[in-house]
Amino acid sequence: MIIDIKYHIASIVAVFLALGVGILVGSGMVRDSVLIEQQERIIDRLELDFAELRASRDDLHARLAMAERLLAASFRFEEEACTRLASGKLLGKRVAAIASGDGMSRENIDRVCRAIENAGGTVTLVMHVCKRLEPVSSDEAKEVALACGIAETSPQAVRGAAAEALALCAAFGEVSPCVSALATLGYVTLDRDAPGRTDAVIVAGGSQDPAADAMHVDIPIVRALRKMGVATIGIEAADVRFSYIKDYKREGIATVDCADTPLGRLSLIYALAGGWGHFGIKDTAESLVPNVFPR
């Protein structure tokens, strides 16, 4: 009897254990199937999203390619149109260019010179000023001062004398002992050689360097040119981080703030031809281009 009771108890316990295990397994299976269904829905949604993203990406790529083609065509048209509009505007004009620092690359200065020549002008001199006109060593200061014919060797005195010598060189083609000394010391390089008075001088500035200052080179030269009565135009590239246009405007000279572009070069040609003003795309400009279509 006792054995039968123990047997029944064991059987009942086994049944309950079996039921418990079944419940656990069943609930686990239910949970797994629900989880799998949820994962499948998420995967389906992701696949749909990825498909939409791929379609959007392909559409953007196509639109970007078309925009690039249109932009390239616009640049070609702009270059051709500006070249034609500038044709003959500078016949007989003699122009010198002075570039300071890194505001206008040599490549862009070359483009400016070609634009002047295509308009009928002559580029008499291209001067690149590679350093501030303030010798950092006393020996260099003495050498430059001696070559410039001044006794004082302060940075301000040397800068003023050097700026005047460079302005004379650009305006009249005179390579003085001071200019030769500056070239020997690596302050300037001179390209082209067409002696004689120029009709106008371009001063190309602006900089990518936060330590740059128009007073180190550009403004002393502009002031010297103005004293000589030489027409002067200040230019720079559109993408310079530190613009000199405000400094040029304070000196009362015409300006072009995007001379690295066809429109900027067209504005420069018209300014050299007598169209005084402040042209370009920056806040300092008064108009995009000169009045190239007079009524």
Side-chain angles (χ1 to χ4, degrees), residues 133-153:
L133 298 179
E134 301 165 357
V136 294
S137 73
S138 58
D139 290 339
E140 284 189 3
K142 290 176 183 177
E143 186 173 347
V144 175
L146 179 63
C148 292
I150 62 172
E152 190 177 349
T153 59

mmCIF file with all atom_site columns, all heavy atoms in Angstrom, residues 133-153:
data_model
loop_
_atom_site.group_PDB
_atom_site.id
_atom_site.type_symbol
_atom_site.label_atom_id
_atom_site.label_alt_id
_atom_site.label_comp_id
_atom_site.label_asym_id
_atom_site.label_entity_id
_atom_site.label_seq_id
_atom_site.pdbx_PDB_ins_code
_atom_site.Cartn_x
_atom_site.Cartn_y
_atom_site.Cartn_z
_atom_site.occupancy
_atom_site.B_iso_or_equiv
_atom_site.pdbx_formal_charge
_atom_site.auth_seq_id
_atom_site.auth_comp_id
_atom_site.auth_asym_id
_atom_site.auth_atom_id
_atom_site.pdbx_PDB_model_num
ATOM 1   N N   . LEU A 1 133 ? 58.381 92.900  -46.689 1.00 0.00 ? 133 LEU A N   1
ATOM 2   C CA  . LEU A 1 133 ? 59.437 93.865  -46.993 1.00 0.00 ? 133 LEU A CA  1
ATOM 3   C C   . LEU A 1 133 ? 60.033 94.432  -45.705 1.00 0.00 ? 133 LEU A C   1
ATOM 4   O O   . LEU A 1 133 ? 60.263 95.628  -45.578 1.00 0.00 ? 133 LEU A O   1
ATOM 5   C CB  . LEU A 1 133 ? 58.867 94.984  -47.875 1.00 0.00 ? 133 LEU A CB  1
ATOM 6   C CG  . LEU A 1 133 ? 58.339 94.538  -49.238 1.00 0.00 ? 133 LEU A CG  1
ATOM 7   C CD1 . LEU A 1 133 ? 57.782 95.731  -50.003 1.00 0.00 ? 133 LEU A CD1 1
ATOM 8   C CD2 . LEU A 1 133 ? 59.423 93.838  -50.037 1.00 0.00 ? 133 LEU A CD2 1
ATOM 9   N N   . GLU A 1 134 ? 60.277 93.541  -44.771 1.00 0.00 ? 134 GLU A N   1
ATOM 10  C CA  . GLU A 1 134 ? 60.859 93.932  -43.472 1.00 0.00 ? 134 GLU A CA  1
ATOM 11  C C   . GLU A 1 134 ? 61.899 92.883  -43.097 1.00 0.00 ? 134 GLU A C   1
ATOM 12  O O   . GLU A 1 134 ? 61.570 91.875  -42.467 1.00 0.00 ? 134 GLU A O   1
ATOM 13  C CB  . GLU A 1 134 ? 59.767 94.007  -42.396 1.00 0.00 ? 134 GLU A CB  1
ATOM 14  C CG  . GLU A 1 134 ? 58.664 95.004  -42.719 1.00 0.00 ? 134 GLU A CG  1
ATOM 15  C CD  . GLU A 1 134 ? 57.437 94.785  -41.847 1.00 0.00 ? 134 GLU A CD  1
ATOM 16  O OE1 . GLU A 1 134 ? 57.432 93.830  -41.048 1.00 0.00 ? 134 GLU A OE1 1
ATOM 17  O OE2 . GLU A 1 134 ? 56.481 95.568  -41.988 1.00 0.00 ? 134 GLU A OE2 1
ATOM 18  N N   . PRO A 1 135 ? 63.164 93.067  -43.504 1.00 0.00 ? 135 PRO A N   1
ATOM 19  C CA  . PRO A 1 135 ? 64.202 92.060  -43.212 1.00 0.00 ? 135 PRO A CA  1
ATOM 20  C C   . PRO A 1 135 ? 64.223 91.679  -41.735 1.00 0.00 ? 135 PRO A C   1
ATOM 21  O O   . PRO A 1 135 ? 64.157 92.541  -40.852 1.00 0.00 ? 135 PRO A O   1
ATOM 22  C CB  . PRO A 1 135 ? 65.490 92.763  -43.629 1.00 0.00 ? 135 PRO A CB  1
ATOM 23  C CG  . PRO A 1 135 ? 65.057 93.739  -44.679 1.00 0.00 ? 135 PRO A CG  1
ATOM 24  C CD  . PRO A 1 135 ? 63.702 94.216  -44.232 1.00 0.00 ? 135 PRO A CD  1
ATOM 25  N N   . VAL A 1 136 ? 64.298 90.374  -41.464 1.00 0.00 ? 136 VAL A N   1
ATOM 26  C CA  . VAL A 1 136 ? 64.265 89.907  -40.081 1.00 0.00 ? 136 VAL A CA  1
ATOM 27  C C   . VAL A 1 136 ? 65.638 89.978  -39.422 1.00 0.00 ? 136 VAL A C   1
ATOM 28  O O   . VAL A 1 136 ? 65.742 89.982  -38.198 1.00 0.00 ? 136 VAL A O   1
ATOM 29  C CB  . VAL A 1 136 ? 63.736 88.458  -40.006 1.00 0.00 ? 136 VAL A CB  1
ATOM 30  C CG1 . VAL A 1 136 ? 62.290 88.412  -40.426 1.00 0.00 ? 136 VAL A CG1 1
ATOM 31  C CG2 . VAL A 1 136 ? 64.563 87.528  -40.886 1.00 0.00 ? 136 VAL A CG2 1
ATOM 32  N N   . SER A 1 137 ? 66.690 90.022  -40.208 1.00 0.00 ? 137 SER A N   1
ATOM 33  C CA  . SER A 1 137 ? 68.032 90.113  -39.627 1.00 0.00 ? 137 SER A CA  1
ATOM 34  C C   . SER A 1 137 ? 68.601 91.513  -39.846 1.00 0.00 ? 137 SER A C   1
ATOM 35  O O   . SER A 1 137 ? 68.281 92.182  -40.845 1.00 0.00 ? 137 SER A O   1
ATOM 36  C CB  . SER A 1 137 ? 68.968 89.074  -40.263 1.00 0.00 ? 137 SER A CB  1
ATOM 37  O OG  . SER A 1 137 ? 69.311 89.452  -41.578 1.00 0.00 ? 137 SER A OG  1
ATOM 38  N N   . SER A 1 138 ? 69.425 91.945  -38.916 1.00 0.00 ? 138 SER A N   1
ATOM 39  C CA  . SER A 1 138 ? 70.026 93.281  -39.029 1.00 0.00 ? 138 SER A CA  1
ATOM 40  C C   . SER A 1 138 ? 70.956 93.368  -40.224 1.00 0.00 ? 138 SER A C   1
ATOM 41  O O   . SER A 1 138 ? 71.067 94.422  -40.868 1.00 0.00 ? 138 SER A O   1
ATOM 42  C CB  . SER A 1 138 ? 70.779 93.619  -37.744 1.00 0.00 ? 138 SER A CB  1
ATOM 43  O OG  . SER A 1 138 ? 71.790 92.641  -37.480 1.00 0.00 ? 138 SER A OG  1
ATOM 44  N N   . ASP A 1 139 ? 71.635 92.257  -40.560 1.00 0.00 ? 139 ASP A N   1
ATOM 45  C CA  . ASP A 1 139 ? 72.539 92.272  -41.713 1.00 0.00 ? 139 ASP A CA  1
ATOM 46  C C   . ASP A 1 139 ? 71.768 92.508  -43.006 1.00 0.00 ? 139 ASP A C   1
ATOM 47  O O   . ASP A 1 139 ? 72.187 93.295  -43.861 1.00 0.00 ? 139 ASP A O   1
ATOM 48  C CB  . ASP A 1 139 ? 73.313 90.951  -41.805 1.00 0.00 ? 139 ASP A CB  1
ATOM 49  C CG  . ASP A 1 139 ? 74.339 90.792  -40.684 1.00 0.00 ? 139 ASP A CG  1
ATOM 50  O OD1 . ASP A 1 139 ? 74.727 91.837  -40.100 1.00 0.00 ? 139 ASP A OD1 1
ATOM 51  O OD2 . ASP A 1 139 ? 74.738 89.657  -40.391 1.00 0.00 ? 139 ASP A OD2 1
ATOM 52  N N   . GLU A 1 140 ? 70.633 91.812  -43.162 1.00 0.00 ? 140 GLU A N   1
ATOM 53  C CA  . GLU A 1 140 ? 69.826 92.007  -44.361 1.00 0.00 ? 140 GLU A CA  1
ATOM 54  C C   . GLU A 1 140 ? 69.256 93.416  -44.400 1.00 0.00 ? 140 GLU A C   1
ATOM 55  O O   . GLU A 1 140 ? 69.204 94.045  -45.463 1.00 0.00 ? 140 GLU A O   1
ATOM 56  C CB  . GLU A 1 140 ? 68.690 90.985  -44.411 1.00 0.00 ? 140 GLU A CB  1
ATOM 57  C CG  . GLU A 1 140 ? 69.135 89.592  -44.825 1.00 0.00 ? 140 GLU A CG  1
ATOM 58  C CD  . GLU A 1 140 ? 67.956 88.665  -45.085 1.00 0.00 ? 140 GLU A CD  1
ATOM 59  O OE1 . GLU A 1 140 ? 66.796 89.132  -44.999 1.00 0.00 ? 140 GLU A OE1 1
ATOM 60  O OE2 . GLU A 1 140 ? 68.195 87.479  -45.374 1.00 0.00 ? 140 GLU A OE2 1
ATOM 61  N N   . ALA A 1 141 ? 68.826 93.903  -43.250 1.00 0.00 ? 141 ALA A N   1
ATOM 62  C CA  . ALA A 1 141 ? 68.279 95.259  -43.188 1.00 0.00 ? 141 ALA A CA  1
ATOM 63  C C   . ALA A 1 141 ? 69.320 96.276  -43.629 1.00 0.00 ? 141 ALA A C   1
ATOM 64  O O   . ALA A 1 141 ? 69.026 97.208  -44.388 1.00 0.00 ? 141 ALA A O   1
ATOM 65  C CB  . ALA A 1 141 ? 67.794 95.563  -41.777 1.00 0.00 ? 141 ALA A CB  1
ATOM 66  N N   . LYS A 1 142 ? 70.553 96.100  -43.173 1.00 0.00 ? 142 LYS A N   1
ATOM 67  C CA  . LYS A 1 142 ? 71.632 97.020  -43.567 1.00 0.00 ? 142 LYS A CA  1
ATOM 68  C C   . LYS A 1 142 ? 71.913 96.925  -45.057 1.00 0.00 ? 142 LYS A C   1
ATOM 69  O O   . LYS A 1 142 ? 72.132 97.939  -45.732 1.00 0.00 ? 142 LYS A O   1
ATOM 70  C CB  . LYS A 1 142 ? 72.900 96.699  -42.768 1.00 0.00 ? 142 LYS A CB  1
ATOM 71  C CG  . LYS A 1 142 ? 72.819 97.058  -41.292 1.00 0.00 ? 142 LYS A CG  1
ATOM 72  C CD  . LYS A 1 142 ? 74.078 96.617  -40.545 1.00 0.00 ? 142 LYS A CD  1
ATOM 73  C CE  . LYS A 1 142 ? 73.958 96.919  -39.051 1.00 0.00 ? 142 LYS A CE  1
ATOM 74  N NZ  . LYS A 1 142 ? 75.149 96.428  -38.294 1.00 0.00 ? 142 LYS A NZ  1
ATOM 75  N N   . GLU A 1 143 ? 71.892 95.703  -45.588 1.00 0.00 ? 143 GLU A N   1
ATOM 76  C CA  . GLU A 1 143 ? 72.176 95.508  -47.017 1.00 0.00 ? 143 GLU A CA  1
ATOM 77  C C   . GLU A 1 143 ? 71.099 96.146  -47.879 1.00 0.00 ? 143 GLU A C   1
ATOM 78  O O   . GLU A 1 143 ? 71.413 96.829  -48.870 1.00 0.00 ? 143 GLU A O   1
ATOM 79  C CB  . GLU A 1 143 ? 72.287 94.015  -47.322 1.00 0.00 ? 143 GLU A CB  1
ATOM 80  C CG  . GLU A 1 143 ? 72.729 93.712  -48.742 1.00 0.00 ? 143 GLU A CG  1
ATOM 81  C CD  . GLU A 1 143 ? 73.006 92.243  -48.973 1.00 0.00 ? 143 GLU A CD  1
ATOM 82  O OE1 . GLU A 1 143 ? 73.090 91.475  -47.991 1.00 0.00 ? 143 GLU A OE1 1
ATOM 83  O OE2 . GLU A 1 143 ? 73.134 91.864  -50.157 1.00 0.00 ? 143 GLU A OE2 1
ATOM 84  N N   . VAL A 1 144 ? 69.848 95.945  -47.508 1.00 0.00 ? 144 VAL A N   1
ATOM 85  C CA  . VAL A 1 144 ? 68.750 96.532  -48.277 1.00 0.00 ? 144 VAL A CA  1
ATOM 86  C C   . VAL A 1 144 ? 68.763 98.048  -48.147 1.00 0.00 ? 144 VAL A C   1
ATOM 87  O O   . VAL A 1 144 ? 68.586 98.772  -49.138 1.00 0.00 ? 144 VAL A O   1
ATOM 88  C CB  . VAL A 1 144 ? 67.396 95.961  -47.833 1.00 0.00 ? 144 VAL A CB  1
ATOM 89  C CG1 . VAL A 1 144 ? 66.252 96.671  -48.548 1.00 0.00 ? 144 VAL A CG1 1
ATOM 90  C CG2 . VAL A 1 144 ? 67.331 94.463  -48.100 1.00 0.00 ? 144 VAL A CG2 1
ATOM 91  N N   . ALA A 1 145 ? 68.971 98.545  -46.931 1.00 0.00 ? 145 ALA A N   1
ATOM 92  C CA  . ALA A 1 145 ? 69.010 99.993  -46.711 1.00 0.00 ? 145 ALA A CA  1
ATOM 93  C C   . ALA A 1 145 ? 70.136 100.635 -47.522 1.00 0.00 ? 145 ALA A C   1
ATOM 94  O O   . ALA A 1 145 ? 69.943 101.687 -48.144 1.00 0.00 ? 145 ALA A O   1
ATOM 95  C CB  . ALA A 1 145 ? 69.192 100.286 -45.224 1.00 0.00 ? 145 ALA A CB  1
ATOM 96  N N   . LEU A 1 146 ? 71.301 99.997  -47.532 1.00 0.00 ? 146 LEU A N   1
ATOM 97  C CA  . LEU A 1 146 ? 72.438 100.519 -48.301 1.00 0.00 ? 146 LEU A CA  1
ATOM 98  C C   . LEU A 1 146 ? 72.100 100.545 -49.789 1.00 0.00 ? 146 LEU A C   1
ATOM 99  O O   . LEU A 1 146 ? 72.362 101.539 -50.482 1.00 0.00 ? 146 LEU A O   1
ATOM 100 C CB  . LEU A 1 146 ? 73.678 99.654  -48.056 1.00 0.00 ? 146 LEU A CB  1
ATOM 101 C CG  . LEU A 1 146 ? 74.954 100.070 -48.809 1.00 0.00 ? 146 LEU A CG  1
ATOM 102 C CD1 . LEU A 1 146 ? 75.396 101.463 -48.363 1.00 0.00 ? 146 LEU A CD1 1
ATOM 103 C CD2 . LEU A 1 146 ? 76.073 99.053  -48.568 1.00 0.00 ? 146 LEU A CD2 1
ATOM 104 N N   . ALA A 1 147 ? 71.502 99.458  -50.288 1.00 0.00 ? 147 ALA A N   1
ATOM 105 C CA  . ALA A 1 147 ? 71.145 99.392  -51.705 1.00 0.00 ? 147 ALA A CA  1
ATOM 106 C C   . ALA A 1 147 ? 70.075 100.418 -52.059 1.00 0.00 ? 147 ALA A C   1
ATOM 107 O O   . ALA A 1 147 ? 70.051 100.933 -53.190 1.00 0.00 ? 147 ALA A O   1
ATOM 108 C CB  . ALA A 1 147 ? 70.657 97.991  -52.054 1.00 0.00 ? 147 ALA A CB  1
ATOM 109 N N   . CYS A 1 148 ? 69.184 100.728 -51.087 1.00 0.00 ? 148 CYS A N   1
ATOM 110 C CA  . CYS A 1 148 ? 68.118 101.695 -51.332 1.00 0.00 ? 148 CYS A CA  1
ATOM 111 C C   . CYS A 1 148 ? 68.567 103.132 -51.088 1.00 0.00 ? 148 CYS A C   1
ATOM 112 O O   . CYS A 1 148 ? 67.793 104.076 -51.335 1.00 0.00 ? 148 CYS A O   1
ATOM 113 C CB  . CYS A 1 148 ? 66.911 101.386 -50.447 1.00 0.00 ? 148 CYS A CB  1
ATOM 114 S SG  . CYS A 1 148 ? 66.059 99.847  -50.888 1.00 0.00 ? 148 CYS A SG  1
ATOM 115 N N   . GLY A 1 149 ? 69.777 103.284 -50.565 1.00 0.00 ? 149 GLY A N   1
ATOM 116 C CA  . GLY A 1 149 ? 70.316 104.618 -50.348 1.00 0.00 ? 149 GLY A CA  1
ATOM 117 C C   . GLY A 1 149 ? 69.758 105.328 -49.138 1.00 0.00 ? 149 GLY A C   1
ATOM 118 O O   . GLY A 1 149 ? 69.635 106.558 -49.122 1.00 0.00 ? 149 GLY A O   1
ATOM 119 N N   . ILE A 1 150 ? 69.397 104.569 -48.089 1.00 0.00 ? 150 ILE A N   1
ATOM 120 C CA  . ILE A 1 150 ? 68.920 105.188 -46.854 1.00 0.00 ? 150 ILE A CA  1
ATOM 121 C C   . ILE A 1 150 ? 69.822 104.780 -45.697 1.00 0.00 ? 150 ILE A C   1
ATOM 122 O O   . ILE A 1 150 ? 70.451 103.716 -45.728 1.00 0.00 ? 150 ILE A O   1
ATOM 123 C CB  . ILE A 1 150 ? 67.466 104.789 -46.536 1.00 0.00 ? 150 ILE A CB  1
ATOM 124 C CG1 . ILE A 1 150 ? 67.346 103.273 -46.329 1.00 0.00 ? 150 ILE A CG1 1
ATOM 125 C CG2 . ILE A 1 150 ? 66.533 105.244 -47.644 1.00 0.00 ? 150 ILE A CG2 1
ATOM 126 C CD1 . ILE A 1 150 ? 65.976 102.823 -45.830 1.00 0.00 ? 150 ILE A CD1 1
ATOM 127 N N   . ALA A 1 151 ? 69.878 105.637 -44.698 1.00 0.00 ? 151 ALA A N   1
ATOM 128 C CA  . ALA A 1 151 ? 70.748 105.359 -43.560 1.00 0.00 ? 151 ALA A CA  1
ATOM 129 C C   . ALA A 1 151 ? 70.026 104.576 -42.474 1.00 0.00 ? 151 ALA A C   1
ATOM 130 O O   . ALA A 1 151 ? 70.632 103.757 -41.775 1.00 0.00 ? 151 ALA A O   1
ATOM 131 C CB  . ALA A 1 151 ? 71.279 106.673 -42.983 1.00 0.00 ? 151 ALA A CB  1
ATOM 132 N N   . GLU A 1 152 ? 68.732 104.801 -42.324 1.00 0.00 ? 152 GLU A N   1
ATOM 133 C CA  . GLU A 1 152 ? 67.972 104.146 -41.262 1.00 0.00 ? 152 GLU A CA  1
ATOM 134 C C   . GLU A 1 152 ? 67.685 102.696 -41.638 1.00 0.00 ? 152 GLU A C   1
ATOM 135 O O   . GLU A 1 152 ? 67.361 102.385 -42.784 1.00 0.00 ? 152 GLU A O   1
ATOM 136 C CB  . GLU A 1 152 ? 66.652 104.884 -41.033 1.00 0.00 ? 152 GLU A CB  1
ATOM 137 C CG  . GLU A 1 152 ? 65.915 104.413 -39.783 1.00 0.00 ? 152 GLU A CG  1
ATOM 138 C CD  . GLU A 1 152 ? 64.641 105.209 -39.538 1.00 0.00 ? 152 GLU A CD  1
ATOM 139 O OE1 . GLU A 1 152 ? 64.433 106.248 -40.196 1.00 0.00 ? 152 GLU A OE1 1
ATOM 140 O OE2 . GLU A 1 152 ? 63.842 104.761 -38.689 1.00 0.00 ? 152 GLU A OE2 1
ATOM 141 N N   . THR A 1 153 ? 67.802 101.822 -40.639 1.00 0.00 ? 153 THR A N   1
ATOM 142 C CA  . THR A 1 153 ? 67.593 100.388 -40.896 1.00 0.00 ? 153 THR A CA  1
ATOM 143 C C   . THR A 1 153 ? 66.406 99.807  -40.117 1.00 0.00 ? 153 THR A C   1
ATOM 144 O O   . THR A 1 153 ? 66.289 98.589  -39.968 1.00 0.00 ? 153 THR A O   1
ATOM 145 C CB  . THR A 1 153 ? 68.859 99.587  -40.538 1.00 0.00 ? 153 THR A CB  1
ATOM 146 O OG1 . THR A 1 153 ? 69.166 99.797  -39.145 1.00 0.00 ? 153 THR A OG1 1
ATOM 147 C CG2 . THR A 1 153 ? 70.036 100.009 -41.402 1.00 0.00 ? 153 THR A CG2 1
#
